[in-house]
Amino acid sequence: MRYEIDIYGVLVPSLLLWLVIAYVLSAAVSRIMQRFGLYRLVWHRALFNFALFVCLLGVVVYFSEFLP
């Protein structure tokens, strides 16, 4: 795992970048679920959104290992 990413001379922690990507994906999935009415199947929306974010963060970090 890369611990720091160089963006135009600025060293940024890789976790910060993965958090931003996971947040954008989580917001997109949340809008899709809201659009199709899938939140009516969820008991606690905030807890579900947090769990979704954590799962997406894990997926993003996992797939970041395959980047060159």
Side-chain angles (χ1 to χ4, degrees), residues 1 14-26 52-67:
M1 178 177 167
S14 61
L15 184 59
L16 179 64
L17 181 62
W18 308 145
L19 284 168
V20 170
I21 293 170
Y23 177 75
V24 169
L25 289 174
S26 177
L52 177 67
F53 174 76
V54 170
C55 290
L56 287 174
L57 179 62
V59 167
V60 168
V61 170
Y62 176 74
F63 282 118
S64 72
E65 295 293 324
F66 300 114
L67 294 176

Side-chain angles (χ1 to χ4, degrees), residues 24-41:
V24 169
L25 289 174
S26 177
V29 171
S30 178
R31 285 185 185 221
I32 291 170
M33 288 186 64
Q34 187 174 9
R35 172 92 172 157
F36 290 110
L38 296 175
Y39 273 123
R40 60 185 166 85
L41 303 173

